[in-house]
């Protein structure tokens, strides 16, 4: 059996999985969030989940996906996304030491989603593919020759940091993201990156501001309820959202020319999401026949993608494929 962790900004999802990727049991626990929590708290939480299984199951390995640039070979995390305490940390070694020296494999969360689709999903027949996962940020995975393309500094696919809409006379607005106190500050003060414009959480923040309601009252499900109710403000925001994503899909297609571009994250469970993006891709494709083979689809495994991809990464790292 394998214990797999999908680390997000709010929750750590975990699952007990078979070698072939069958999920036997899963749960979630709150993610230790800075500044009140640090690395020791993070290791403690993972260790407690491991302890709850180790006497009942033979845990052959631990697979983890999380934000940041991940050195898969050496088990080191850089950047850390919203979990700054993981920066420059030999996390694989720390988790293994805490969990009875069990073998550990780490992977970036966007890369894990891409690997799941290559393994058993909607990129299983593709040679090259791009995966975009919309959540608290925007995870990205680039597949070339059925392998993750990482780039020189492990930054390939970190699409969250692409600039969008910033004008030259607004350069004074650029500030270190590490100085932001919370995600809402990022959405407000750095509203010119793709993540702060088009992540699902940024979308919810934008809707809450437009409607004058607390951000805690808006999530993806509520947005689509408001659309069904005919709320014109939300409908216009969502049309802009689809249009922005469609433009990026076209740009990715021209840059990398993949066989397929897959869209994932919780919001992708809404059929209207991918259909909205496709609608604008079709309009943008009228510029020429160069877009004739652009294919947009949804990630098959949605919220379980990262768990499956993390296990696939473990198998790849330890020569088990």
């Amino acid at each position: 059996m394998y214990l797999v962790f999908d680390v997000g900004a709010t929750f750590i999802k975990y699952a007990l999985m078979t070698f072939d990727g069958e999920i036997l049991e899963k749960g979630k626990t709150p993610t230790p969030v800075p500044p009140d929590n640090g690395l020791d708290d993070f290791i403690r939480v993972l260790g407690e989940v491991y302890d709850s299984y180790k006497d009942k199951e033979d845990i052959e390995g631990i697979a983890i996906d999380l934000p940041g640039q991940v050195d898969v070979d050496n088990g080191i995390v850089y950047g850390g996304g919203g979990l700054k305490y993981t920066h420059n940390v030999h996390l694989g070694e720390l988790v293994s030491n805490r969990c009875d020296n069990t073998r550990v494999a780490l992977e970036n969360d966007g890369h894990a989603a891409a690997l799941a689709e290559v393994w058993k999903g909607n990129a299983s027949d593709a040679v090259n593919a791009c995966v975009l996962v919309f959540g608290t940020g925007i995870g990205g995975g680039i597949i070339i020759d059925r392998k993750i393309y990482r780039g020189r500094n492990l930054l390939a696919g970190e699409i969250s940091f692409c600039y969008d809409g910033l004008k030259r006379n607004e350069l004074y607005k650029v500030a270190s993201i590490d100085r932001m106190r919370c995600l809402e500050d990022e959405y407000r003060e750095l509203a010119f990156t793709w993540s702060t414009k088009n992540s699902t959480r940024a979308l919810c923040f934008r809707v809450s501001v437009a409607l004058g309601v607390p951000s805690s009252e808006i999530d993806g499900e509520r947005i689509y309820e408001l659309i069904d109710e005919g709320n014109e403000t939300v409908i216009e925001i969502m049309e802009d959202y689809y249009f922005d994503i469609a433009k990026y899909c076209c740009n990715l297609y021209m840059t990398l020319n993949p066989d397929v571009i897959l869209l994932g994250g919780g919001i992708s469970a809404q059929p209207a999401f991918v259909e909205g993006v496709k609608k604008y891709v079709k309009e943008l494709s009228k510029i020429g026949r160069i877009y004739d083979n652009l294919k947009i689809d949804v990630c098959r495994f949605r919220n379980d993608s990262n768990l499956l991809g993390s296990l696939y990464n473990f198998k790849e790292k330890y020569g088990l494929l």
Side-chain angles (χ1 to χ4, degrees):
M1 296 297 174
Y2 296 85
L3 183 58
V4 184
F5 293 96
D6 173 22
V7 179
T10 305
F11 288 101
I12 298 172
K13 295 188 291 185
Y14 57 88
L16 185 68
M17 300 175 68
T18 68
F19 181 81
D20 293 325
E22 180 184 359
I23 297 175
L24 302 180
E25 184 177 329
K26 62 181 178 179
K28 66 180 182 179
T29 187
T31 303
V33 178
D36 297 330
N37 299 278
L39 181 61
D40 289 344
D41 301 292
F42 182 72
I43 299 297
R44 173 184 53 79
V45 169
L46 299 187
E48 288 173 352
V49 174
Y50 170 79
D51 289 344
S52 70
Y53 284 107
K54 70 175 185 179
D55 292 332
K56 299 183 293 183
E57 304 287 348
D58 180 18
I59 305 298
E60 300 177 62
I62 296 172
I64 305 171
D65 72 79
L66 71 168
Q69 294 80 61
V70 178
D71 180 340
V72 173
D73 293 334
N74 297 301
I76 305 172
V77 179
Y78 301 99
L83 304 179
K84 303 302 182 187
Y85 52 70
T86 62
H87 171 58
N88 206 24
V89 170
H90 289 254
L91 189 62
E93 180 180 343
L94 292 178
V95 174
S96 179
N97 290 344
R98 168 59 181 81
C99 300
D100 302 324
N101 296 313
T102 303
R103 292 189 296 181
V104 174
L106 307 181
E107 181 56 283
N108 167 270
D109 48 4
H111 292 176
L115 289 172
E117 296 302 316
V118 167
W119 184 17
K120 294 189 174 187
N122 289 333
S124 59
D125 294 328
V127 177
N128 304 318
C130 293
V131 175
L132 302 176
V133 182
F134 298 86
T136 302
I138 302 175
I142 299 169
I143 300 293
I144 297 178
D145 292 332
R146 300 190 58 78
K147 300 285 185 181
I148 289 289
Y149 175 70
R150 303 182 187 278
R152 178 178 176 180
N153 301 113
L154 307 175
L155 289 169
E158 289 285 3
I159 200 165
S160 284
F161 289 92
C162 291
Y163 284 105
D164 186 354
L166 182 70
K167 298 178 181 178
R168 181 167 58 86
N169 63 0
E170 296 175 323
L171 277 172
Y172 69 91
K173 295 181 179 179
V174 179
S176 172
I177 200 168
D178 294 332
R179 292 164 54 188
M180 301 295 115
R181 294 166 298 174
C182 61
L183 287 167
E184 282 70 19
D185 284 349
E186 293 180 23
Y187 304 146
R188 188 179 294 107
E189 298 179 34
L190 300 177
F192 44 76
T193 72
W194 209 42
S195 179
T196 54
K197 286 189 67 178
N198 291 320
S199 67
T200 304
R201 189 160 174 176
L203 168 68
C204 293
F205 177 75
R206 192 185 317 159
V207 169
S208 72
V209 170
L211 298 182
V213 301
S215 58
S216 59
E217 295 183 9
I218 302 295
D219 58 17
E221 185 175 348
R222 179 56 181 152
I223 285 174
Y224 280 99
E225 289 175 353
L226 290 165
I227 289 172
D228 289 341
E229 293 167 8
N231 188 300
E232 290 296 333
T233 298
V234 179
I235 289 172
E236 283 300 307
I237 289 173
M238 284 303 295
E239 291 300 315
D240 286 341
Y241 186 64
Y242 298 146
F243 182 56
D244 279 350
I245 295 172
K247 286 189 292 184
Y248 265 76
C249 287
C250 289
N251 291 343
L252 279 173
Y253 184 70
M254 284 297 105
T255 304
L256 298 169
N257 197 205
D259 302 324
V260 64
I261 298 173
L262 301 177
L263 308 179
I267 197 169
S268 69
Q270 294 281 351
F273 170 72
V274 70
E275 291 306 316
V277 174
K278 284 182 175 180
K279 173 180 67 176
Y280 286 111
V281 166
K282 182 178 180 180
E283 292 299 311
L284 291 166
S285 297
K286 290 178 180 178
I287 196 171
R289 294 176 60 187
I290 53 174
Y291 282 111
D292 284 354
N293 295 311
L294 170 53
K295 181 181 178 182
I296 307 291
D297 205 344
V298 68
C299 290
R300 178 176 295 179
F301 300 108
R302 298 190 173 94
N303 286 336
D304 289 335
S305 290
N306 289 9
L307 295 170
L308 283 163
S310 292
L311 178 59
Y312 184 87
N313 175 62
F314 181 97
K315 295 167 71 171
E316 191 171 51
K317 175 179 172 64
Y318 291 105
L320 301 176
L321 292 178

